[in-house]
Amino acid sequence: MNTALEILKKYWNHHSFREPQDKIINAVLENKNTIVLLPTGGGKSICFQIPALVKDGICIVVSPLIALMQDQVDSLNNKGIKAFTIASGTSQDDLITLFDNIRFGNYKFLYLSPERLQSPFIQEKIKQLDINLIAVDEAHCISEWGHDFRPSYRNIKILKELKPTTPVIALTATATKEVIDDIANSLEIKDAIVFKKSFYRDNLAYQIFSLEDKLGRLLQICTKTKAPIIVYVSSRNKTKEIASFLNANHFKASFYHGGLSAANKQEAFDNWISEKTPIIVATNAFGMGIDKDNVKVVIHLELPNSIENYIQEAGRAGRNGKKAFSAVLVNKNDIRIYKERLENAFPTIAEIKHIYKSIFSHFQIANGEINEEVFEFNLLKFSDKYKIPANKVATTINLLEANGILQISDSYDKKSTVQFLTSSNRVLNYSKSDSNTTKLIQLLLRSYGGIFEQETKINEFWLAKKAHLLSRQVVTILTKLETEELITYKKATENAELYFLVPREDDKTINSISKNIQKYIKQKIRKATDLVAFIENDAVCRSIQVLKYFNEKEFNKCGICDVCLANKNVYQDVSKEIMAYLSSNKTATSKEICEQISSKEDIILVNLQQLLSEEKISINNFNQYHLNE
């Protein structure tokens, strides 16, 4: 049996654990229940993946996000570790085959959504498996006090009933003491050891800038920063708009949001990772699986959803331990718009009932009927057809999914699938006359484990890059192989997949979850109120505000946030830098000088005034500064 450190070296190519990963792994290997609170970038997945690989049997991982589950499954499979997740709408016959493969195929990980655990059939199949560990990812979802409460997470404790002696590890990046206590109670692991790493980041400066010209400040920050940047915005259209603005100003930027095709999403991510486009403008869909340690600045052009979201997103900067910045740019209208958007985002119970009925009408499902098909669903077309605001439809669907009424998988979460129907030799013999086909088949065989046993998720764009082909060539080859009945190839569509989990009962269904919905909305409003208070509080060190929010007891002023810097009120002499710049450029406006010199704008302006008073520089009729002769 390999030790935890040997497995870390073999599959992750690391030679030591980060604190406190080794302590967590040892506790799990001793069959102790654990609750793990590690901030973003703390390496939570390794804390359950490595002990599961050390022990005999299979680890069940419960996660709320289909995309996150698939990313982790793909990552494990690419390492040669057998992992699997069950797609929406899989029939019972297919499930029987899948569980037989899992049981007898040396699989190590089974990823499930909490909704899947409601199925008595799946519960029965889990009983037959040798489960070595139960891992609950994003465990804050179990608590109504968390920032992303999902009532379906309350049902996870069924796993403890099915496997009472199997240890449980619950993991989250952001949780208050209320949430941690709620996790322990809900999962019935009150004996759990809690591992908690401080949220204090001595190299990360939280800075809130109140200003009217946000785009001007964005350009200044991008000019001064010679390292990768993430810019967060609140809408898909804004990602493209801001990326275009940056490119028009001679920066290299790409954009990323949930509605992109798999190929475009992968291209944007790869270009940013490789620093072909070192700036990426994104919605909060950009976050899962990011492991880039040299991000220098995370900029929020619009307010995040909560303090928890903000800390996760800001925490993607400075993972290499070097000085990094989180810059939130706000103006007078932002908070007003934020509050208005919050009020308009949540539908009433009556509106939710109307939307729920309309979805059934859209798919022509009768009252009392449960249809186990997978339906293709286009949110914008549905909203237009029934004259319902798209944001309210989206919120309603999220609420219905969180309460176990339906399940939805957006197209950007989906990938095409391939399964070989014959031996590799036969396929390779078939392809001998075409080098591109041979190259692609060999790449598929090397890259995807289990491709003969089941439908395996692939990424045509990634395959094309690796095989030095065009994406359309990959699709053409795979389509031809399917025509010859050598493989099955299911190409991803652009619509979402919607799957109903309960029979149609209209008002009765919504009435049964109305209390959960009202709690959820109340909690969202409270989280938003806490965030606004954080943004507006310019009297207390930002780090202290964050640490108090997460119930930490020990804290000192960080000395690097906007509040601490303002309170220092120390004059910084940058006159030499200003004069050197003017010496090279002859004339420049204050804005141009601020873009080039690495200091705060107000400090630069004070220095300019001092140089003017000393008659070392002058200003012309065009508000340009220049050196005096």
Side-chain angles (χ1 to χ4, degrees):
M1 180 186 294
N2 289 331
T3 67
L5 191 57
E6 286 170 342
I7 288 171
L8 181 73
K9 291 176 184 176
K10 179 179 178 181
Y11 293 111
W12 281 268
N13 200 28
H14 295 315
H15 295 275
S16 62
F17 291 105
R18 296 185 218 164
E19 179 68 26
Q21 287 176 331
D22 53 344
K23 295 183 179 68
I24 296 166
I25 289 166
N26 287 336
V28 174
L29 290 174
E30 291 169 5
N31 289 329
K32 293 175 181 175
N33 295 321
T34 54
I35 296 175
V36 176
L37 175 58
L38 291 181
T40 301
K44 291 184 294 299
S45 298
I46 276 177
C47 295
F48 67 82
Q49 288 173 344
I50 285 185
L53 289 169
V54 171
K55 301 168 80 171
D56 292 332
I58 186 169
C59 171
I60 287 186
V61 186
V62 183
S63 174
L65 301 170
I66 293 169
L68 182 57
M69 286 194 284
Q70 193 58 57
D71 284 348
Q72 290 200 9
V73 166
D74 290 345
S75 176
L76 289 166
N77 284 330
N78 288 336
K79 287 180 171 69
I81 299 166
K82 297 184 84 170
F84 193 79
T85 185
I86 298 173
S88 304
T90 306
S91 70
Q92 188 158 310
D93 286 344
D94 287 339
L95 283 173
I96 292 170
T97 304
L98 291 174
F99 271 96
D100 283 344
N101 286 335
I102 292 165
R103 189 177 176 189
F104 302 111
N106 197 30
Y107 276 83
K108 292 301 296 180
F109 295 92
L110 171 60
Y111 281 74
L112 291 171
S113 69
E115 290 78 18
R116 275 289 180 191
L117 290 175
Q118 296 179 39
S119 163
F121 178 79
I122 286 179
Q123 291 170 16
E124 194 58 39
K125 286 295 179 182
I126 286 171
K127 280 185 187 177
Q128 299 170 14
L129 298 177
D130 177 18
I131 307 299
N132 63 24
L133 181 62
I134 297 165
V136 182
D137 206 2
E138 307 294 339
H140 58 268
C141 295
I142 209 166
S143 172
E144 66 183 72
W145 306 112
H147 64 283
D148 198 14
F149 175 48
R150 292 171 69 98
S152 55
Y153 253 58
R154 296 283 192 180
N155 301 324
I156 295 174
K157 64 183 179 183
I158 187 68
L159 288 172
K160 281 297 287 179
E161 296 172 21
L162 299 173
K163 298 288 179 178
T165 61
T166 301
V168 175
I169 178 170
L171 309 103
T172 180
T174 50
T176 60
K177 185 178 184 303
E178 284 177 313
V179 174
I180 291 172
D181 291 343
D182 211 4
I183 290 168
N185 290 331
S186 299
L187 291 175
E188 298 179 354
I189 51 170
K190 294 178 185 177
D191 61 339
I193 303 171
V194 178
F195 293 92
K196 184 177 179 182
K197 191 172 182 179
S198 174
F199 281 90
Y200 182 67
R201 295 277 303 276
D202 60 1
N203 68 317
L204 179 59
Y206 300 117
Q207 298 186 339
I208 315 293
F209 297 105
S210 181
L211 69 174
E212 290 306 308
D213 185 10
K214 295 201 293 185
L215 293 180
R217 180 58 63 89
L218 173 65
L219 293 178
Q220 284 183 20
I221 295 170
C222 292
T223 300
K224 291 179 181 180
T225 305
K226 309 304 180 187
I229 296 172
I230 304 173
V231 182
Y232 279 111
V233 294
S234 62
S235 70
R236 293 177 176 184
N237 288 338
K238 208 70 177 280
T239 61
K240 189 173 183 180
E241 177 188 322
I242 298 299
S244 298
F245 169 76
L246 288 168
N247 286 317
N249 281 276
H250 312 296
F251 295 100
K252 293 179 179 178
S254 53
F255 65 93
Y256 184 109
H257 59 71
L260 292 176
S261 67
N264 288 338
K265 174 185 168 187
Q266 190 69 44
E267 182 177 19
F269 184 80
D270 288 347
N271 286 342
W272 180 71
I273 286 287
S274 67
E275 297 178 27
K276 183 179 178 181
T277 54
I279 304 171
I280 192 158
V281 186
T283 62
N284 62 7
F286 186 71
M288 293 176 300
I290 294 175
D291 189 19
K292 189 167 178 62
D293 67 0
N294 66 333
V295 177
K296 181 77 172 178
V297 182
V298 173
I299 302 168
H300 282 86
L301 270 183
E302 291 159 310
L303 297 183
N305 292 328
S306 66
I307 292 176
E308 286 91 341
N309 287 114
Y310 170 62
I311 294 305
Q312 281 189 324
E313 291 156 13
R316 297 188 173 107
R319 292 188 184 177
N320 56 5
K322 295 181 180 179
K323 188 176 181 182
F325 300 87
S326 159
V328 181
L329 309 184
V330 294
N331 61 32
K332 292 175 183 176
N333 289 325
D334 284 341
I335 291 175
R336 176 184 58 79
I337 292 168
Y338 181 78
K339 289 177 178 176
E340 287 177 0
R341 193 171 67 220
L342 189 72
E343 289 171 6
N344 296 329
F346 297 114
T348 63
I349 296 296
E351 287 174 320
I352 290 170
K353 288 178 177 179
H354 172 62
I355 293 167
Y356 186 53
K357 288 178 186 176
S358 299
I359 292 171
F360 283 118
S361 298
H362 185 63
F363 294 116
Q364 299 182 331
I365 296 173
N367 202 33
E369 179 184 347
I370 182 164
N371 195 313
E372 295 186 354
E373 289 180 51
V374 177
F375 295 94
E376 289 199 4
F377 181 74
N378 187 302
L379 188 146
L380 294 178
K381 287 181 180 177
F382 173 85
S383 301
D384 184 59
K385 177 180 176 180
Y386 290 94
K387 310 301 179 195
I388 304 169
N391 65 329
K392 292 198 174 182
V393 175
T395 302
T396 297
I397 286 175
N398 288 339
L399 287 167
L400 294 173
E401 184 175 31
N403 282 275
I405 305 303
L406 54 77
Q407 197 166 346
I408 190 161
S409 167
D410 282 340
S411 58
Y412 60 86
D413 290 333
K414 296 188 298 181
K415 292 181 180 176
S416 303
T417 62
V418 165
Q419 182 177 3
F420 280 83
L421 301 176
T422 185
S423 70
S424 57
N425 287 337
R426 187 183 163 207
V427 181
L428 288 168
N429 285 333
Y430 167 84
S431 69
K432 277 182 179 176
S433 59
D434 181 62
S435 61
N436 285 342
T437 303
T438 301
K439 194 161 44 174
L440 179 61
I441 289 169
Q442 289 174 338
L443 180 59
L444 283 165
L445 294 174
R446 286 198 309 271
S447 304
Y448 298 101
I451 201 165
F452 289 95
E453 301 161 18
Q454 67 203 28
E455 292 181 1
T456 302
K457 304 241 179 209
I458 63 160
N459 183 319
E460 290 93 339
F461 179 78
W462 181 84
L463 288 167
K465 280 184 68 178
K466 288 289 184 182
H468 304 292
L469 300 170
L470 299 174
S471 295
R472 57 182 171 77
Q473 288 178 293
V474 170
V475 171
T476 300
I477 292 168
L478 293 175
T479 303
K480 186 177 179 184
L481 290 171
E482 184 179 43
T483 303
E484 298 294 331
E485 298 184 348
L486 299 172
I487 65 168
T488 57
Y489 171 49
K490 295 180 181 176
K491 194 171 185 306
T493 68
E494 293 303 315
N495 294 328
E497 286 183 347
L498 189 146
Y499 174 70
F500 294 101
L501 299 172
V502 299
R504 176 179 180 178
E505 292 183 303
D506 292 352
D507 289 0
K508 182 180 176 183
T509 298
I510 304 304
N511 289 340
S512 70
I513 61 171
S514 61
K515 285 185 179 179
N516 287 340
I517 290 171
Q518 287 162 348
K519 275 185 183 178
Y520 174 88
I521 292 172
K522 184 178 178 182
Q523 184 66 1
K524 283 289 186 184
I525 292 170
R526 186 186 121 181
K527 295 288 181 189
T529 304
D530 288 341
L531 176 77
V532 170
F534 170 75
I535 296 294
E536 293 183 328
N537 185 347
D538 57 4
V540 178
C541 165
R542 300 289 176 192
S543 282
I544 288 178
Q545 290 187 59
V546 167
L547 297 176
K548 282 185 175 179
Y549 182 82
F550 289 108
N551 311 109
E552 294 197 27
K553 304 300 181 189
E554 296 181 14
F555 34 75
N556 296 307
K557 291 181 180 179
C558 69
I560 56 175
C561 71
D562 61 297
V563 177
C564 288
L565 291 176
N567 290 337
K568 279 183 180 178
N569 198 24
V570 175
Y571 175 75
Q572 181 185 355
D573 185 359
V574 292
S575 58
K576 287 181 181 178
E577 289 94 326
I578 292 173
M579 292 180 71
Y581 178 68
L582 290 176
S583 175
S584 302
N585 292 273
K586 306 302 181 187
T587 61
T589 64
S590 61
K591 182 177 180 182
E592 289 168 337
I593 294 169
C594 288
E595 286 175 352
Q596 296 300 324
I597 294 176
S598 182
S599 187
K600 290 185 71 176
E601 183 177 351
D602 55 350
I603 290 172
I604 294 170
L605 294 176
V606 168
N607 275 263
L608 286 170
Q609 290 301 316
Q610 183 67 26
L611 289 168
L612 284 170
S613 68
E614 295 171 358
E615 297 185 353
K616 292 181 179 179
I617 64 172
S618 297
I619 188 167
N620 63 25
N621 293 333
F622 299 101
N623 288 322
Q624 294 172 318
Y625 294 89
H626 59 85
L627 293 177
N628 287 335
E629 296 297 333

